[in-house]
Amino acid sequence: MAPLLVWGALVVVWVLGSLSSFMGVLASAGVMPEDVTDATRREGAWALLWLLVFALLTPLVGVVVAAVLRRRVAAALFGCALLLSGGVLWLIAPFGEVWAALRAGLAL
């Protein structure tokens, strides 16, 4: 029963966290070009970073937990979720552009 609660919580965090952080990315992208400041770039970069955390790290944690518990089906499903998230993010923007946006917004 406990693994089901963990996987259910990971799925909820994956879906709701990804959606809410994606809305933050969209909100920061909707700023008019003349209104862009360092603060708006920073807020957009943080929203993008949280999107990467929720969309990629949460399913990865699910894969690792399922593999440690030797649950092959759960590991395969979380692996599919990871591939799905990565594919959707790749369609939105290639990872080079995402990294450039993070470097510019967070001054890395």
Side-chain angles (χ1 to χ4, degrees):
M1 182 67 118
L4 290 178
L5 294 175
V6 171
W7 296 325
L10 284 172
V11 168
V12 168
V13 168
W14 172 58
V15 171
L16 294 180
S18 296
L19 288 176
S20 64
S21 58
F22 183 66
M23 295 309 257
V25 170
L26 287 179
S28 66
V31 176
M32 297 300 286
E34 59 270 3
D35 296 333
V36 174
T37 63
D38 288 338
T40 56
R41 281 191 189 98
R42 192 171 33 256
E43 289 171 12
W46 277 107
L48 183 59
L49 184 65
W50 280 112
L51 176 62
L52 294 176
V53 166
F54 285 123
L56 298 177
L57 287 182
T58 303
L60 183 62
V61 168
V63 168
V64 170
V65 169
V68 167
L69 295 176
R70 295 185 181 151
R71 307 284 195 227
R72 284 186 241 160
V73 173
L77 289 175
F78 277 112
C80 289
L82 179 63
L83 290 175
L84 176 73
S85 291
V88 169
L89 289 174
W90 178 262
L91 286 175
I92 293 171
F95 291 122
E97 290 180 15
V98 171
W99 177 247
L102 286 174
R103 279 189 316 165
L106 299 177
L108 298 177

